[in-house]
Structure formats: structure tokens, C-alpha cells
Amino acid sequence: MSLRVLLVEDDRELRTTLRDALAIEGYEVLTAASLSEGLALLAHATRPPSSTLASTSDAPAVDLVILDLGLPDGDGETLLATLRRRHALPVLVVSARHGDGQKIRLLDAGADDYLVKPFSVGELLARMRVALRHRGTRVDPAVTHYVSGGLDIDLAAHRVTLNGAPCHLTPTEFKLLARLVRSAGQVVTHRQLLVDVWGAEYCDHTHYLRLYMGQLRAKLEADPGEPQRLLTEPGVGYRLVEGED
Ligand code: CA
């Protein structure tokens, strides 16, 4: 089950950049462009039925919040206060505002960390892992580069090459392959793949998987009928063979 992040940021470009970067790392990302949208998502978002993280029905539907302060309908601090009253969720504040006073006030108000814009995505991801670890959720950096027998997959660069030649994948094919790369060497169940690639409401659509795995094999296997990379684990799921170190 991927961890779910709520990203509250009104700068559309930054929101898109962060959403894509987090998705590549394997996070499920909900985005909000205002305070009210953020609050509505927190109030109404529900966990997919397969979730193992939400042990009680009133558990928050997200695992971490990334919160901008300057929002069109108010200050992110309002949301921080609401979050602190209701949940023990880690909250990372991202803001263009400098100043020690501000930072100390926010940390006192319950923010787990504070990043001043501009920050690197790598730093944000590392701080997210720390904040989650402090709450007892272990997160290993995701595998985003995979190499094996002439196949080279760079998730961050969105690039797949086979024996040096670029391989063109559809967005869904790429998403499915990326999910397998993040668990390379391990079996990923049908249900997990369907939930992570298509969404919880598609968890019974195993024919989607058969179709898209067929397409991926046609593009990535020397003999799609005798796959050597994208293996079927009968009755369980699929496994991408472990990459080379
Ligand atoms: Ca802003």
C-alpha cells in the first residue's frame, strides 16, 4: 500500500512538479490549491478498501501533509492548527517566508519540519522520510533507476531504453512498469497493481493487467511468449526480475 500525501500548494507549477516527483517515489498524492480544498480533502477522503494502514474508521485518510503557508483563502497555519487538534499526522510546512521567529512559531504549533522555498525535491523527500520515521512509519528511498540485461529504466527522467534504443510506452504502461520497478525482485499482487496503477475502484479488473502486461512484454521481452523479465506468478501477481547492482 503506498503512503498517501496531501499537498496543499496554490502555485500550480510547483504543485505539479512536486506531485509528479512524489508519484515517481511511489507516494499517492492528493492535491489542494487552497485552504478550503485541503480541509475538504481531509474531511472527505477515504482509504481504499485494501488499506492496511487505517486500522480504525476515523483514522486520517492521508499519511503526511505538505503545507504551503500563503494560500489564496487564508494562511496555512489555520490548517496546521486544525490538523493538530484532530490528528497526529506529520506536517511539513513549505514557505517562501524566512525568519527564525516564524519557523520557531510553526514548529511550536506542531509542524514537523519547515522548508524555505526554493528547496530541492531530494531534500523534501528526505525530510518526509524523517518525519514519517518519527511517527513510526519506515520509508526506504524508492528505487527509481533499474538496469537489467540491456533494459534501462530511469523513472525520474521518464526514460526507458532497451539495448540502447528508446522504448516508447503509453502513460499507463509506464505507470505499471514503474510500480514493478519500485518492487523489483518481489512479487506484486494483482490487487496491489490495480489499486496503485488504476485506483481502488478497479481492484477487480484483472483483465486490464493481462492486457497491459501483454503490451509491456511485447515491447520489452525478446520473446513475449516466454518472458524473461516480466514474470507471472500464477494466481498471485507479477514480478520484475531483480535488477543489476
Ligand atoms: Ca503560496
Side-chain angles (χ1 to χ4, degrees):
M1 186 65 216
S2 47
L3 292 171
R4 197 189 256 184
V5 174
L6 171 62
L7 170 62
V8 188
E9 169 61 72
D10 63 326
D11 179 330
R12 181 211 269 267
E13 203 180 314
L14 183 58
R15 197 169 63 236
T16 308
T17 306
L18 292 180
R19 188 198 57 209
D20 293 351
L22 294 173
I24 281 169
E25 286 285 313
Y27 292 99
E28 188 192 341
V29 188
L30 306 178
T31 58
S34 66
L35 210 53
S36 51
E37 250 187 81
L39 281 166
L41 275 172
L42 275 172
H44 302 299
T46 51
R47 291 279 185 185
S50 69
S51 173
T52 52
L53 292 165
S55 48
T56 57
S57 57
D58 62 348
V62 297
D63 300 293
L64 182 138
V65 179
I66 299 172
L67 180 61
D68 178 30
L69 291 184
L71 294 164
D73 56 346
D75 197 297
E77 271 192 81
T78 319
L79 186 59
L80 179 60
T82 308
L83 279 168
R84 278 296 155 263
R85 275 199 302 278
R86 294 190 201 152
H87 312 295
L89 278 175
V91 180
L92 263 71
V93 170
V94 293
S95 172
R97 299 177 199 166
H98 294 274
D100 263 358
Q102 162 100 356
K103 187 168 178 174
I104 291 165
R105 200 175 73 244
L106 282 160
L107 293 173
D108 280 343
D112 288 65
D113 210 339
Y114 187 102
L115 276 96
V116 176
K117 294 176 191 172
F119 51 84
S120 74
V121 171
E123 181 175 10
L124 173 68
L125 289 165
R127 302 250 197 134
M128 286 170 63
R129 288 194 290 271
V130 171
L132 287 163
R133 206 155 57 222
H134 284 162
R135 308 290 170 123
T137 309
R138 193 182 156 71
V139 191
D140 293 318
V143 176
T144 56
H145 192 197
Y146 173 92
V147 179
S148 174
L151 175 62
D152 190 314
I153 305 168
D154 186 341
L155 295 183
H158 223 275
R159 190 176 52 224
V160 180
T161 57
L162 184 58
N163 302 321
C167 211
H168 300 288
L169 302 182
T170 67
T172 303
E173 288 167 2
F174 186 83
K175 236 175 140 181
L176 177 58
L177 184 63
R179 180 63 190 83
L180 289 163
V181 164
R182 287 198 295 274
S183 297
Q186 300 164 33
V187 184
V188 188
T189 64
H190 296 134
R191 185 186 178 85
Q192 196 70 74
L193 287 169
L194 286 161
V195 168
D196 289 350
V197 176
W198 283 272
E201 59 274 38
Y202 294 92
C203 66
D204 295 324
H205 293 45
T206 43
H207 57 285
Y208 281 20
L209 271 180
R210 277 196 301 277
L211 176 71
Y212 280 89
M213 285 303 294
Q215 291 174 195
L216 277 179
R217 281 171 171 159
K219 293 182 180 181
L220 304 178
E221 297 281 1
D223 177 0
E226 291 285 334
Q228 304 297 313
R229 306 178 189 278
L230 295 157
L231 309 182
T232 300
E233 298 287 339
V236 184
Y238 294 95
R239 176 166 60 94
L240 175 66
V241 295
E242 205 163 348
E244 297 153 12
D245 281 326

